[in-house]
Amino acid sequence: MALWAPFSKEEFQQAIAKCSDSLAPGPDKLSWRHLKFITKQDEYLSNIINVANACINLGYWLDYFKQSSTIIIPKPNKSLYNHAKMFCPIVLLNMLGKLIEKVITKRIQFTVMKNNFIHSCQLGGLKFKSTTDVGVTLTHIVRSGWAKGKTTSTLTFDISQFFPSLNHRLLTTILSKVGLKPKVSRFFVDYLVQRKTNYLWNNLQSPDFEVNIGVGQGSALSPILLALYLTPFLHILEKCLNNLKIPISLLLFVDDGLIIVQNKSILISNFQLFYSYNILSNLLSDFSLVIEHGKTEIFHFNRSHGVFNPPPLNLSPLGGPILHPKDTWKYLGFLFNRKLTFHQHLDFYANKVLSMVKCMKLLGNSSRGISPLQKCQLYRCCMLPIVLYGFQLWFYNKAPLSYHLKLLNKMQRRAAIWILGAFKTSLFEGIEALAGLIPIKYHL
Protein backbone atom coordinates (compact mmCIF):
# COMPACT_ATOMS: atom_id res chain seq x y z
CA MET A 1 0.00 0.00 0.00
CA ALA A 2 1.54 3.29 -1.14
CA LEU A 3 1.89 6.08 1.39
CA TRP A 4 -0.07 9.30 0.87
CA ALA A 5 1.86 12.10 2.54
CA PRO A 6 0.35 15.57 3.06
CA PHE A 7 0.69 17.87 0.06
CA SER A 8 3.70 20.18 -0.06
CA LYS A 9 4.16 23.73 -1.31
CA GLU A 10 6.60 22.52 -3.96
CA GLU A 11 3.96 20.28 -5.53
CA PHE A 12 1.52 23.15 -5.94
CA GLN A 13 4.19 25.56 -7.15
CA GLN A 14 5.39 23.09 -9.80
CA ALA A 15 1.83 22.37 -10.91
CA ILE A 16 0.80 26.01 -11.33
CA ALA A 17 4.08 27.06 -12.98
CA LYS A 18 3.21 24.98 -16.07
CA CYS A 19 -0.26 26.52 -16.52
CA SER A 20 -0.87 29.00 -19.32
CA ASP A 21 -2.21 32.44 -18.41
CA SER A 22 -4.22 32.56 -21.64
CA LEU A 23 -6.63 29.73 -20.75
CA ALA A 24 -10.27 30.68 -20.25
CA PRO A 25 -11.40 31.08 -16.63
CA GLY A 26 -14.04 28.85 -15.10
CA PRO A 27 -17.29 29.74 -13.27
CA ASP A 28 -15.24 31.33 -10.46
CA LYS A 29 -13.91 33.90 -13.00
CA LEU A 30 -10.35 33.22 -11.83
CA SER A 31 -7.53 32.68 -14.31
CA TRP A 32 -4.18 30.97 -13.81
CA ARG A 33 -2.60 34.42 -13.71
CA HIS A 34 -4.67 35.27 -10.64
CA LEU A 35 -3.82 31.99 -8.92
CA LYS A 36 -0.12 32.42 -9.64
CA PHE A 37 -0.25 35.80 -7.93
CA ILE A 38 -2.19 34.41 -4.96
CA THR A 39 0.07 31.40 -4.43
CA LYS A 40 3.15 33.59 -4.21
CA GLN A 41 1.93 34.46 -0.71
CA ASP A 42 2.84 31.64 1.69
CA GLU A 43 -0.20 32.26 3.86
CA TYR A 44 -2.67 31.86 0.98
CA LEU A 45 -0.81 28.86 -0.44
CA SER A 46 -0.89 27.18 2.97
CA ASN A 47 -4.66 27.65 3.11
CA ILE A 48 -5.07 26.03 -0.31
CA ILE A 49 -2.89 23.09 0.79
CA ASN A 50 -4.99 22.70 3.93
CA VAL A 51 -8.15 22.51 1.81
CA ALA A 52 -6.56 19.86 -0.45
CA ASN A 53 -5.40 17.74 2.50
CA ALA A 54 -8.81 18.01 4.15
CA CYS A 55 -10.55 16.84 0.94
CA ILE A 56 -8.41 13.68 0.85
CA ASN A 57 -8.60 12.96 4.58
CA LEU A 58 -12.38 13.47 4.78
CA GLY A 59 -13.14 11.80 1.44
CA TYR A 60 -15.09 14.84 0.31
CA TRP A 61 -14.91 17.06 -2.78
CA LEU A 62 -16.45 20.48 -2.25
CA ASP A 63 -19.70 21.23 -4.09
CA TYR A 64 -18.08 24.49 -5.19
CA PHE A 65 -15.50 22.48 -7.15
CA LYS A 66 -18.18 20.28 -8.72
CA GLN A 67 -19.78 23.25 -10.48
CA SER A 68 -18.79 23.72 -14.13
CA SER A 69 -19.81 25.53 -17.29
CA THR A 70 -20.03 23.76 -20.65
CA ILE A 71 -19.45 25.92 -23.73
CA ILE A 72 -21.02 24.53 -26.91
CA ILE A 73 -18.79 25.29 -29.91
CA PRO A 74 -19.65 24.22 -33.49
CA LYS A 75 -16.97 22.11 -35.17
CA PRO A 76 -15.39 23.88 -38.16
CA ASN A 77 -15.84 22.93 -41.81
CA LYS A 78 -19.14 21.10 -41.40
CA SER A 79 -21.80 21.46 -44.09
CA LEU A 80 -24.73 20.95 -41.69
CA TYR A 81 -25.15 21.44 -37.96
CA ASN A 82 -28.27 19.34 -37.46
CA HIS A 83 -26.70 16.70 -35.23
CA ALA A 84 -25.20 16.80 -31.73
CA LYS A 85 -21.90 15.40 -33.03
CA MET A 86 -21.43 18.54 -35.09
CA PHE A 87 -20.72 20.45 -31.87
CA CYS A 88 -17.84 20.27 -29.41
CA PRO A 89 -18.54 20.78 -25.68
CA ILE A 90 -15.77 22.55 -23.76
CA VAL A 91 -16.00 22.11 -19.99
CA LEU A 92 -14.74 24.98 -17.80
CA LEU A 93 -14.05 24.11 -14.17
CA ASN A 94 -13.26 26.27 -11.16
CA MET A 95 -9.55 27.04 -11.31
CA LEU A 96 -8.79 26.36 -7.65
CA GLY A 97 -10.30 22.90 -7.99
CA LYS A 98 -8.32 22.30 -11.20
CA LEU A 99 -5.10 23.17 -9.39
CA ILE A 100 -5.79 20.62 -6.65
CA GLU A 101 -6.73 18.04 -9.28
CA LYS A 102 -3.41 18.57 -11.06
CA VAL A 103 -1.48 17.82 -7.88
CA ILE A 104 -3.59 14.72 -7.14
CA THR A 105 -3.10 13.54 -10.74
CA LYS A 106 0.68 13.70 -10.42
CA ARG A 107 0.52 11.63 -7.21
CA ILE A 108 -1.66 8.96 -8.81
CA GLN A 109 0.47 8.86 -11.96
CA PHE A 110 3.56 8.16 -9.88
CA THR A 111 1.82 5.41 -7.88
CA VAL A 112 0.33 3.51 -10.82
CA MET A 113 3.55 3.70 -12.84
CA LYS A 114 5.57 2.53 -9.85
CA ASN A 115 3.24 -0.45 -9.36
CA ASN A 116 3.12 -1.23 -13.12
CA PHE A 117 -0.67 -1.20 -12.90
CA ILE A 118 -1.34 0.34 -16.31
CA HIS A 119 -1.34 -2.12 -19.21
CA SER A 120 1.75 -1.76 -21.38
CA CYS A 121 -0.27 -1.16 -24.56
CA GLN A 122 -1.96 1.96 -23.09
CA LEU A 123 0.17 4.95 -24.10
CA GLY A 124 -2.33 7.75 -23.52
CA GLY A 125 -3.17 9.71 -20.39
CA LEU A 126 0.25 9.03 -18.88
CA LYS A 127 3.14 11.30 -18.10
CA PHE A 128 6.10 11.14 -20.52
CA LYS A 129 3.91 9.36 -23.09
CA SER A 130 2.63 10.93 -26.30
CA THR A 131 1.28 10.14 -29.75
CA THR A 132 4.88 9.90 -30.95
CA ASP A 133 5.37 6.82 -28.76
CA VAL A 134 2.40 5.18 -30.48
CA GLY A 135 3.77 6.04 -33.93
CA VAL A 136 7.28 4.81 -33.15
CA THR A 137 5.93 1.58 -31.66
CA LEU A 138 3.74 0.95 -34.70
CA THR A 139 6.54 1.56 -37.21
CA HIS A 140 8.83 -0.74 -35.22
CA ILE A 141 6.22 -3.52 -35.34
CA VAL A 142 5.72 -3.01 -39.08
CA ARG A 143 9.43 -3.12 -39.90
CA SER A 144 10.04 -6.15 -37.68
CA GLY A 145 7.22 -7.89 -39.58
CA TRP A 146 8.79 -7.02 -42.91
CA ALA A 147 12.05 -8.59 -41.72
CA LYS A 148 10.10 -11.86 -41.37
CA GLY A 149 8.41 -11.45 -44.76
CA LYS A 150 5.01 -10.61 -43.24
CA THR A 151 2.42 -7.93 -44.03
CA THR A 152 1.18 -5.92 -41.07
CA SER A 153 -2.56 -5.24 -40.96
CA THR A 154 -4.12 -2.71 -38.59
CA LEU A 155 -7.71 -2.09 -37.55
CA THR A 156 -8.51 1.15 -35.75
CA PHE A 157 -11.44 1.55 -33.38
CA ASP A 158 -12.79 4.48 -31.40
CA ILE A 159 -14.79 4.20 -28.19
CA SER A 160 -17.92 6.31 -28.54
CA GLN A 161 -18.69 8.88 -25.81
CA PHE A 162 -15.88 7.52 -23.65
CA PHE A 163 -15.71 10.29 -21.04
CA PRO A 164 -19.42 10.33 -20.11
CA SER A 165 -19.83 6.52 -20.29
CA LEU A 166 -17.63 5.39 -17.42
CA ASN A 167 -19.28 3.30 -14.73
CA HIS A 168 -18.59 4.95 -11.35
CA ARG A 169 -18.89 1.77 -9.30
CA LEU A 170 -16.43 -0.09 -11.53
CA LEU A 171 -14.03 2.86 -11.54
CA THR A 172 -13.97 3.12 -7.74
CA THR A 173 -13.40 -0.65 -7.51
CA ILE A 174 -10.43 -0.34 -9.85
CA LEU A 175 -9.03 2.57 -7.82
CA SER A 176 -9.17 0.43 -4.68
CA LYS A 177 -6.92 -2.14 -6.40
CA VAL A 178 -4.30 0.35 -7.63
CA GLY A 179 -2.36 0.45 -4.36
CA LEU A 180 -3.65 3.79 -3.06
CA LYS A 181 -4.61 4.42 0.55
CA PRO A 182 -8.29 3.68 1.35
CA LYS A 183 -8.95 7.35 2.08
CA VAL A 184 -7.98 8.21 -1.52
CA SER A 185 -10.46 5.66 -2.87
CA ARG A 186 -13.15 7.10 -0.58
CA PHE A 187 -12.36 10.56 -1.92
CA PHE A 188 -13.12 9.45 -5.48
CA VAL A 189 -16.46 7.96 -4.42
CA ASP A 190 -17.60 11.50 -3.57
CA TYR A 191 -15.57 13.19 -6.33
CA LEU A 192 -17.47 11.45 -9.14
CA VAL A 193 -21.06 12.18 -8.06
CA GLN A 194 -23.41 15.15 -7.64
CA ARG A 195 -21.64 17.26 -10.24
CA LYS A 196 -23.51 20.15 -11.87
CA THR A 197 -23.03 22.09 -15.08
CA ASN A 198 -24.79 24.76 -17.09
CA TYR A 199 -24.62 25.07 -20.87
CA LEU A 200 -23.65 28.22 -22.75
CA TRP A 201 -24.43 28.66 -26.43
CA ASN A 202 -23.73 32.10 -27.89
CA ASN A 203 -25.56 34.46 -25.49
CA LEU A 204 -27.86 31.77 -24.09
CA GLN A 205 -27.26 30.14 -20.71
CA SER A 206 -29.17 27.19 -19.30
CA PRO A 207 -29.98 26.45 -15.66
CA ASP A 208 -27.82 23.96 -13.78
CA PHE A 209 -28.15 20.27 -14.62
CA GLU A 210 -26.91 17.34 -12.58
CA VAL A 211 -24.14 15.32 -14.26
CA ASN A 212 -23.78 12.02 -12.42
CA ILE A 213 -22.26 9.96 -15.24
CA GLY A 214 -18.72 9.52 -16.47
CA VAL A 215 -15.92 11.91 -15.60
CA GLY A 216 -15.42 15.60 -16.33
CA GLN A 217 -13.75 16.01 -19.70
CA GLY A 218 -11.99 19.21 -18.67
CA SER A 219 -10.54 17.73 -15.50
CA ALA A 220 -6.83 17.05 -15.09
CA LEU A 221 -7.79 13.73 -13.48
CA SER A 222 -9.76 12.48 -16.50
CA PRO A 223 -6.88 11.04 -18.59
CA ILE A 224 -5.39 8.93 -15.80
CA LEU A 225 -8.86 7.77 -14.65
CA LEU A 226 -9.65 6.67 -18.21
CA ALA A 227 -6.35 4.79 -18.47
CA LEU A 228 -7.08 3.04 -15.17
CA TYR A 229 -10.63 2.18 -16.27
CA LEU A 230 -9.39 0.38 -19.39
CA THR A 231 -6.61 -1.55 -17.62
CA PRO A 232 -8.71 -4.59 -16.52
CA PHE A 233 -10.45 -4.57 -19.91
CA LEU A 234 -7.10 -4.83 -21.71
CA HIS A 235 -5.89 -7.65 -19.48
CA ILE A 236 -9.12 -9.60 -20.01
CA LEU A 237 -9.03 -9.00 -23.78
CA GLU A 238 -5.42 -10.12 -23.99
CA LYS A 239 -6.21 -13.29 -22.04
CA CYS A 240 -9.22 -14.11 -24.25
CA LEU A 241 -7.23 -13.70 -27.45
CA ASN A 242 -4.34 -15.78 -26.08
CA ASN A 243 -6.74 -18.57 -25.12
CA LEU A 244 -8.12 -18.54 -28.67
CA LYS A 245 -4.55 -18.43 -30.03
CA ILE A 246 -5.18 -15.29 -32.07
CA PRO A 247 -1.77 -13.57 -32.35
CA ILE A 248 -2.49 -9.86 -32.22
CA SER A 249 -0.93 -6.75 -30.71
CA LEU A 250 -2.86 -3.87 -29.18
CA LEU A 251 -2.05 -0.17 -28.95
CA LEU A 252 -4.21 2.46 -27.27
CA PHE A 253 -3.99 6.21 -26.92
CA VAL A 254 -6.76 6.96 -24.41
CA ASP A 255 -9.86 5.88 -26.40
CA ASP A 256 -8.24 5.49 -29.85
CA GLY A 257 -7.32 1.82 -30.24
CA LEU A 258 -5.39 -0.21 -32.75
CA ILE A 259 -5.53 -3.97 -33.42
CA ILE A 260 -2.39 -5.22 -35.19
CA VAL A 261 -1.85 -8.61 -36.85
CA GLN A 262 1.02 -9.90 -38.98
CA ASN A 263 0.73 -12.66 -41.57
CA LYS A 264 1.97 -13.56 -45.02
CA SER A 265 -1.65 -13.81 -46.19
CA ILE A 266 -4.00 -10.83 -45.94
CA LEU A 267 -7.00 -13.17 -45.96
CA ILE A 268 -5.76 -14.74 -42.72
CA SER A 269 -5.17 -11.26 -41.28
CA ASN A 270 -8.74 -10.22 -42.16
CA PHE A 271 -10.07 -13.38 -40.51
CA GLN A 272 -8.12 -12.66 -37.30
CA LEU A 273 -9.14 -9.00 -37.30
CA PHE A 274 -12.81 -9.94 -37.69
CA TYR A 275 -12.81 -12.26 -34.69
CA SER A 276 -10.71 -9.89 -32.61
CA TYR A 277 -13.13 -7.05 -33.37
CA ASN A 278 -16.07 -9.25 -32.38
CA ILE A 279 -14.49 -10.15 -29.03
CA LEU A 280 -13.50 -6.51 -28.48
CA SER A 281 -17.03 -5.23 -29.13
CA ASN A 282 -18.66 -7.75 -26.78
CA LEU A 283 -16.15 -7.12 -24.02
CA LEU A 284 -16.51 -3.35 -24.27
CA SER A 285 -20.28 -3.67 -23.86
CA ASP A 286 -19.63 -5.47 -20.55
CA PHE A 287 -17.72 -2.35 -19.47
CA SER A 288 -20.66 -0.09 -20.51
CA LEU A 289 -18.73 1.10 -23.56
CA VAL A 290 -19.58 1.07 -27.28
CA ILE A 291 -17.43 1.20 -30.41
CA GLU A 292 -18.22 3.96 -32.90
CA HIS A 293 -18.27 1.80 -36.04
CA GLY A 294 -18.22 4.77 -38.39
CA LYS A 295 -14.63 5.58 -37.36
CA THR A 296 -13.29 2.04 -37.81
CA GLU A 297 -10.62 1.77 -40.53
CA ILE A 298 -8.35 -0.93 -41.91
CA PHE A 299 -4.88 -0.50 -43.38
CA HIS A 300 -2.18 -2.89 -44.62
CA PHE A 301 1.56 -2.20 -44.58
CA ASN A 302 3.17 -3.97 -47.53
CA ARG A 303 6.34 -3.00 -49.39
CA SER A 304 5.79 -5.06 -52.55
CA HIS A 305 6.60 -3.25 -55.80
CA GLY A 306 3.69 -4.60 -57.83
CA VAL A 307 0.03 -3.65 -57.80
CA PHE A 308 -1.36 -3.96 -54.30
CA ASN A 309 -5.11 -4.44 -54.11
CA PRO A 310 -6.06 -6.10 -50.79
CA PRO A 311 -9.58 -7.46 -50.25
CA PRO A 312 -12.05 -5.52 -48.08
CA LEU A 313 -12.99 -6.51 -44.55
CA ASN A 314 -16.72 -7.05 -44.06
CA LEU A 315 -17.79 -6.11 -40.52
CA SER A 316 -21.50 -5.86 -41.34
CA PRO A 317 -22.34 -9.08 -39.38
CA LEU A 318 -21.02 -7.27 -36.30
CA GLY A 319 -22.90 -4.05 -36.99
CA GLY A 320 -19.91 -2.38 -38.62
CA PRO A 321 -19.20 -1.21 -42.18
CA ILE A 322 -17.46 -2.90 -45.10
CA LEU A 323 -13.91 -1.57 -44.85
CA HIS A 324 -11.93 -0.89 -48.02
CA PRO A 325 -8.20 -0.18 -47.47
CA LYS A 326 -7.02 3.22 -48.72
CA ASP A 327 -3.69 4.30 -50.20
CA THR A 328 -2.97 6.55 -47.20
CA TRP A 329 -4.13 6.35 -43.62
CA LYS A 330 -4.24 9.12 -41.01
CA TYR A 331 -3.89 8.05 -37.39
CA LEU A 332 -3.17 10.39 -34.46
CA GLY A 333 -2.01 13.06 -36.89
CA PHE A 334 0.44 10.78 -38.75
CA LEU A 335 -0.09 10.09 -42.45
CA PHE A 336 1.00 6.56 -43.31
CA ASN A 337 1.37 4.89 -46.68
CA ARG A 338 1.87 1.16 -47.09
CA LYS A 339 5.65 1.45 -47.59
CA LEU A 340 6.28 3.84 -44.67
CA THR A 341 7.99 6.48 -46.79
CA PHE A 342 6.10 9.30 -45.02
CA HIS A 343 6.15 11.43 -48.17
CA GLN A 344 2.45 12.28 -47.82
CA HIS A 345 2.95 13.08 -44.13
CA LEU A 346 5.72 15.55 -44.85
CA ASP A 347 3.92 17.04 -47.85
CA PHE A 348 0.87 17.76 -45.70
CA TYR A 349 2.71 19.47 -42.83
CA ALA A 350 5.25 21.29 -45.03
CA ASN A 351 2.43 22.74 -47.15
CA LYS A 352 0.62 23.77 -43.97
CA VAL A 353 3.71 25.70 -42.81
CA LEU A 354 4.20 27.27 -46.25
CA SER A 355 0.61 28.51 -46.09
CA MET A 356 1.29 29.91 -42.63
CA VAL A 357 4.38 31.75 -43.92
CA LYS A 358 2.28 33.35 -46.66
CA CYS A 359 -0.30 34.45 -44.11
CA MET A 360 2.40 35.75 -41.76
CA LYS A 361 3.36 38.34 -44.41
CA LEU A 362 0.42 40.35 -43.09
CA LEU A 363 2.34 40.81 -39.84
CA GLY A 364 5.26 42.62 -41.39
CA ASN A 365 7.75 43.05 -44.20
CA SER A 366 11.19 44.64 -44.58
CA SER A 367 9.91 48.18 -43.93
CA ARG A 368 7.13 47.84 -41.32
CA GLY A 369 5.50 45.45 -38.91
CA ILE A 370 7.22 43.05 -36.52
CA SER A 371 11.00 42.88 -36.46
CA PRO A 372 13.11 40.08 -38.00
CA LEU A 373 13.91 38.81 -34.49
CA GLN A 374 10.21 38.48 -33.70
CA LYS A 375 9.60 36.76 -37.04
CA CYS A 376 12.38 34.29 -36.26
CA GLN A 377 10.87 33.52 -32.85
CA LEU A 378 7.43 33.12 -34.42
CA TYR A 379 8.79 30.65 -36.97
CA ARG A 380 10.72 28.60 -34.43
CA CYS A 381 7.87 28.47 -31.89
CA CYS A 382 4.79 28.14 -34.10
CA MET A 383 5.89 26.60 -37.40
CA LEU A 384 8.84 24.28 -36.84
CA PRO A 385 7.01 22.11 -34.26
CA ILE A 386 4.24 21.56 -36.84
CA VAL A 387 6.43 20.45 -39.72
CA LEU A 388 8.65 18.31 -37.48
CA TYR A 389 5.71 16.51 -35.87
CA GLY A 390 6.46 12.79 -35.93
CA PHE A 391 9.94 13.08 -37.44
CA GLN A 392 11.03 10.28 -35.09
CA LEU A 393 9.04 7.89 -37.28
CA TRP A 394 11.01 8.53 -40.46
CA PHE A 395 14.39 9.73 -39.14
CA TYR A 396 16.50 6.75 -38.12
CA ASN A 397 19.85 5.18 -38.91
CA LYS A 398 20.43 4.68 -42.67
CA ALA A 399 16.98 6.05 -43.52
CA PRO A 400 16.61 7.58 -47.03
CA LEU A 401 16.25 11.29 -46.29
CA SER A 402 16.85 13.06 -49.62
CA TYR A 403 13.15 13.75 -50.27
CA HIS A 404 12.48 14.80 -46.68
CA LEU A 405 15.42 17.19 -46.42
CA LYS A 406 14.71 18.72 -49.83
CA LEU A 407 11.16 19.56 -48.81
CA LEU A 408 12.15 20.85 -45.36
CA ASN A 409 14.91 23.05 -46.81
CA LYS A 410 12.42 24.49 -49.31
CA MET A 411 10.09 25.35 -46.43
CA GLN A 412 12.89 26.91 -44.36
CA ARG A 413 14.11 28.94 -47.36
CA ARG A 414 10.65 30.51 -47.73
CA ALA A 415 10.63 31.30 -44.03
CA ALA A 416 14.11 32.89 -44.16
CA ILE A 417 13.10 35.09 -47.11
CA TRP A 418 10.05 36.27 -45.17
CA ILE A 419 12.05 36.93 -42.00
CA LEU A 420 14.65 39.07 -43.76
CA GLY A 421 12.52 40.49 -46.57
CA ALA A 422 15.21 39.21 -48.96
CA PHE A 423 15.02 38.55 -52.70
CA LYS A 424 13.77 35.17 -53.84
CA THR A 425 17.04 34.57 -55.70
CA SER A 426 19.16 34.98 -52.55
CA LEU A 427 21.58 32.20 -51.62
CA PHE A 428 19.84 29.87 -49.16
CA GLU A 429 22.78 29.23 -46.81
CA GLY A 430 23.45 32.96 -46.52
CA ILE A 431 19.91 34.09 -45.69
CA GLU A 432 19.49 31.12 -43.36
CA ALA A 433 22.52 32.26 -41.36
CA LEU A 434 21.49 35.94 -41.40
CA ALA A 435 17.99 35.04 -40.20
CA GLY A 436 19.48 33.14 -37.27
CA LEU A 437 17.95 29.80 -38.29
CA ILE A 438 19.59 26.51 -37.41
CA PRO A 439 19.99 24.23 -40.48
CA ILE A 440 17.01 21.91 -40.60
CA LYS A 441 19.12 18.74 -40.41
CA TYR A 442 20.28 19.70 -36.90
CA HIS A 443 16.69 19.76 -35.64
CA LEU A 444 16.35 16.05 -36.40
Side-chain angles (χ1 to χ4, degrees):
M1 189 69 66
L3 295 175
W4 189 276
F7 294 114
S8 66
K9 292 181 180 180
E10 289 75 15
E11 287 179 285
F12 277 82
Q13 289 168 347
Q14 291 174 6
I16 200 170
K18 299 177 182 178
C19 299
S20 173
D21 295 341
S22 61
L23 292 180
D28 56 5
K29 306 303 179 184
L30 287 175
S31 68
W32 288 121
R33 183 177 59 184
H34 297 131
L35 277 182
K36 286 178 181 179
F37 177 78
I38 292 170
T39 53
K40 287 180 181 178
Q41 308 296 323
D42 288 343
E43 180 184 355
Y44 301 145
L45 181 56
S46 298
N47 291 336
I48 295 173
I49 294 172
N50 290 336
V51 171
N53 286 324
C55 288
I56 297 294
N57 293 330
L58 298 175
Y60 178 72
W61 190 237
L62 298 174
D63 292 340
Y64 176 75
F65 295 151
K66 294 181 180 181
Q67 180 67 42
S68 64
S69 296
T70 303
I71 314 296
I72 307 300
I73 298 176
K75 294 180 180 179
N77 304 322
K78 300 294 182 181
S79 56
L80 293 173
Y81 291 92
N82 56 354
H83 197 278
K85 290 185 178 180
M86 300 296 106
F87 299 87
C88 178
I90 305 296
V91 181
L92 301 179
L93 302 172
N94 288 307
M95 286 297 188
L96 184 56
K98 286 183 71 172
L99 176 60
I100 298 174
E101 287 179 356
K102 284 178 178 291
V103 179
I104 296 174
T105 300
K106 190 173 181 180
R107 285 277 189 98
I108 297 176
Q109 289 254 7
F110 176 80
T111 301
V112 298
M113 296 302 289
K114 179 183 177 183
N115 297 339
N116 292 321
F117 188 84
I118 301 292
H119 196 281
S120 58
C121 74
Q122 175 62 271
L123 299 176
L126 303 173
K127 200 170 184 180
F128 307 121
K129 300 290 185 181
S130 67
T131 55
T132 302
D133 295 291
V134 181
V136 170
T137 304
L138 176 59
T139 53
H140 172 75
I141 293 173
V142 171
R143 294 187 185 280
S144 63
W146 286 347
K148 301 173 184 176
K150 296 181 179 180
T151 296
T152 300
S153 303
T154 61
L155 186 69
T156 60
F157 63 91
D158 183 82
I159 302 174
S160 178
Q161 299 295 311
F162 189 27
F163 284 86
S165 301
L166 269 62
N167 185 297
H168 287 172
R169 183 176 296 180
L170 177 58
L171 181 57
T172 52
T173 303
I174 294 170
L175 285 166
S176 66
K177 306 294 184 182
V178 171
L180 299 169
K181 298 284 280 186
K183 64 181 181 181
V184 182
S185 301
R186 289 195 300 270
F187 163 78
F188 279 102
V189 172
D190 185 75
Y191 171 84
L192 293 168
V193 298
Q194 297 178 348
R195 309 183 76 90
K196 292 183 178 181
T197 190
N198 55 52
Y199 296 91
L200 289 88
W201 189 359
N202 295 331
N203 295 325
L204 303 176
Q205 182 173 347
S206 74
D208 290 345
F209 292 93
E210 287 194 2
V211 185
N212 288 322
I213 57 172
V215 296
Q217 195 162 350
S219 169
L221 281 164
S222 297
I224 186 61
L225 292 179
L226 299 180
L228 289 171
Y229 190 85
L230 284 178
T231 295
F233 159 77
L234 293 171
H235 283 289
I236 296 170
L237 177 63
E238 188 178 52
K239 187 176 181 180
C240 290
L241 294 172
N242 287 338
N243 291 338
L244 294 172
K245 297 182 178 179
I246 302 178
I248 73 161
S249 301
L250 287 169
L251 285 177
L252 260 84
F253 191 82
V254 190
D255 59 342
D256 291 316
L258 199 60
I259 305 173
I260 307 169
V261 298
Q262 292 182 319
N263 291 286
K264 293 185 178 180
S265 169
I266 292 180
L267 291 176
I268 296 175
S269 295
N270 282 357
F271 176 82
Q272 293 175 344
L273 289 173
F274 179 88
Y275 278 94
S276 301
Y277 192 79
N278 185 25
I279 295 169
L280 177 76
S281 301
N282 294 331
L283 189 57
L284 278 174
S285 63
D286 294 336
F287 279 75
S288 305
L289 300 172
V290 179
I291 291 180
E292 190 169 349
H293 296 295
K295 293 185 178 180
T296 304
E297 294 180 298
I298 189 172
F299 193 78
H300 304 284
F301 293 94
N302 184 287
R303 55 180 178 178
S304 60
H305 296 291
V307 177
F308 185 68
N309 189 22
L313 175 62
N314 186 7
L315 296 178
S316 55
L318 307 178
I322 299 175
L323 302 177
H324 296 272
K326 300 178 181 178
D327 295 331
T328 59
W329 169 52
K330 190 172 184 179
Y331 181 65
L332 297 179
F334 306 115
L335 274 77
F336 296 94
N337 61 6
R338 66 182 180 91
K339 293 187 178 182
L340 286 183
T341 61
F342 291 100
H343 289 179
Q344 292 88 346
H345 174 87
L346 209 58
D347 286 340
F348 176 78
Y349 285 105
N351 287 330
K352 179 178 283 192
V353 170
L354 287 173
S355 299
M356 290 176 66
V357 170
K358 290 180 180 179
C359 294
M360 291 297 179
K361 291 179 180 179
L362 298 172
L363 299 178
N365 53 30
S366 58
S367 59
R368 64 180 184 275
I370 62 176
S371 66
L373 178 60
Q374 292 171 324
K375 293 178 185 178
C376 181
Q377 291 176 337
L378 192 62
Y379 168 73
R380 294 176 63 180
C381 296
C382 301
M383 302 182 196
L384 269 182
I386 293 175
V387 77
L388 295 180
Y389 174 67
F391 78 90
Q392 297 89 343
L393 279 64
W394 51 262
F395 181 78
Y396 54 91
N397 187 30
K398 297 183 180 179
L401 299 176
S402 57
Y403 179 87
H404 307 76
L405 291 177
K406 181 180 178 181
L407 195 60
L408 290 173
N409 283 327
K410 176 184 176 182
M411 177 271 305
Q412 182 139 305
R413 174 185 172 83
R414 292 279 185 90
I417 290 173
W418 166 64
I419 290 170
L420 296 176
F423 293 109
K424 293 183 178 180
T425 55
S426 302
L427 185 66
F428 172 50
E429 289 80 3
I431 58 174
E432 185 180 46
L434 288 173
L437 300 179
I438 301 173
I440 202 73
K441 61 182 179 181
Y442 295 122
H443 285 284
L444 304 176

